[in-house]
Amino acid sequence: MSQHFQHDVLIIGSGAAGLTLALTLPAHLRIAILSKGDLANGSTYRAQGGVAAVLDDRDTVESHIEDTLIAGGGLCREEAVRFTVEHSRAAIQWLIDQGVPFTPENGGADSDDNGFAFHLTREGGHSHRRIIHAADATGAAIFTTLLEQARRRPNIELLEQHVAIDLITERKLGMPGQRCLGAYVLNRDSGEVDTYAARFTVLATGGAAKAYLYTSNSDGACGDGIAMAWRAGC
């Protein structure tokens, strides 16, 4: 028999985006995080090389933005690139504070000449060394750390094998307005479709790389979150 659940925040997607949001929301909120498979099913866990950010004092925000726009071949939204790059150092510092084991400079805890204690590499498309990494399994290190932190929070419920099918909106229920009220969710273990009502619903479902024949992304990156948003009027 299908069930009805109530949360303050429903987060669809258990990767770095969904976990980060859950960990930065107030602790009094009741939060549910859905994963369509096991919690490591998404793309975050599989990401290898590292994360680009302005971390070296010889690097600049403008240089990183320029490199990104060039590499994007004219497809990037410049204001989104600027926002991301301007906040990149703070974002990396937050990950460090959570305990992500990034590779230290020179294999030890000593800082380099610029006062930064972690090793930076340079990858294609970048004009500076700005890739912070955890050996060559950066995504796994970030995911594992954030998941461990989330499991320590009694207000965060982690739900595996739960597939979001569609968003519930006022319009779909014949009500005036377009506010999102939650989602219909398939519980793969029970085979039932449950109703998850929430004051706020967040899509952190990743992209649609599986639309391509060849990709290193997970099978879950099939664009269903984008489709749900489209059907809801986004």
Side-chain angles (χ1 to χ4, degrees):
M1 180 178 294
S2 62
Q3 300 185 65
H4 181 95
F5 299 93
Q6 177 70 51
H7 293 83
D8 293 307
V9 184
L10 175 65
I11 300 174
I12 304 174
S14 63
L19 291 171
T20 296
L21 174 62
L23 291 169
T24 53
L25 287 173
H28 69 272
L29 297 177
R30 187 180 175 211
I31 302 168
I33 299 178
L34 306 184
S35 175
K36 65 175 63 173
D38 59 39
L39 292 170
N41 186 63
S43 299
T44 298
Y45 187 83
R46 293 167 172 78
Q48 294 180 308
V51 185
V54 180
L55 302 169
D56 188 323
D57 290 343
R58 293 165 293 193
D59 196 3
T60 66
V61 166
E62 292 304 322
S63 174
H64 193 175
I65 291 172
E66 181 182 3
D67 290 347
T68 305
L69 294 176
I70 292 172
L75 299 177
C76 299
R77 186 172 299 215
E78 185 169 352
E79 57 267 35
V81 172
R82 179 170 294 278
F83 181 90
T84 303
V85 173
E86 286 178 345
H87 292 81
S88 61
R89 185 160 194 154
I92 294 298
Q93 186 59 55
W94 183 82
L95 290 174
I96 293 170
D97 293 341
Q98 301 311 302
V100 176
F102 290 115
T103 299
E105 180 66 27
N106 298 323
D110 295 335
S111 301
D112 63 12
D113 293 338
N114 295 290
F116 192 67
F118 298 94
H119 184 253
L120 301 176
T121 63
R122 178 177 171 182
E123 292 185 352
H126 293 283
S127 57
H128 290 79
R129 291 172 62 233
R130 58 169 71 107
I131 312 299
I132 188 171
H133 60 101
D136 195 33
T138 309
I142 292 174
F143 172 82
T144 302
T145 301
L146 297 184
L147 180 61
E148 180 181 338
Q149 293 286 0
R151 282 178 167 154
R152 295 175 180 173
R153 306 284 184 92
N155 67 311
I156 299 176
E157 186 177 6
L158 298 160
L159 298 167
E160 296 183 307
Q161 307 300 329
H162 281 65
V163 183
I165 297 173
D166 209 9
L167 298 176
I168 304 169
T169 64
E170 292 173 327
R171 178 175 57 84
K172 291 180 181 179
L173 296 178
M175 302 164 60
Q178 293 188 333
R179 181 172 176 79
C180 182
L181 306 174
Y184 296 117
V185 178
L186 171 65
N187 182 328
R188 297 176 69 179
D189 291 330
S190 70
E192 298 287 345
V193 175
D194 299 323
T195 300
Y196 279 76
R199 293 168 55 206
F200 303 97
T201 302
V202 180
L203 291 173
T205 56
K210 289 300 288 189
Y212 296 92
L213 180 61
Y214 301 109
T215 175
S216 60
N217 281 219
S218 68
D219 289 342
C222 58
D224 48 354
I226 298 170
M228 281 189 286
W230 178 267
R231 291 194 299 270
C234 294

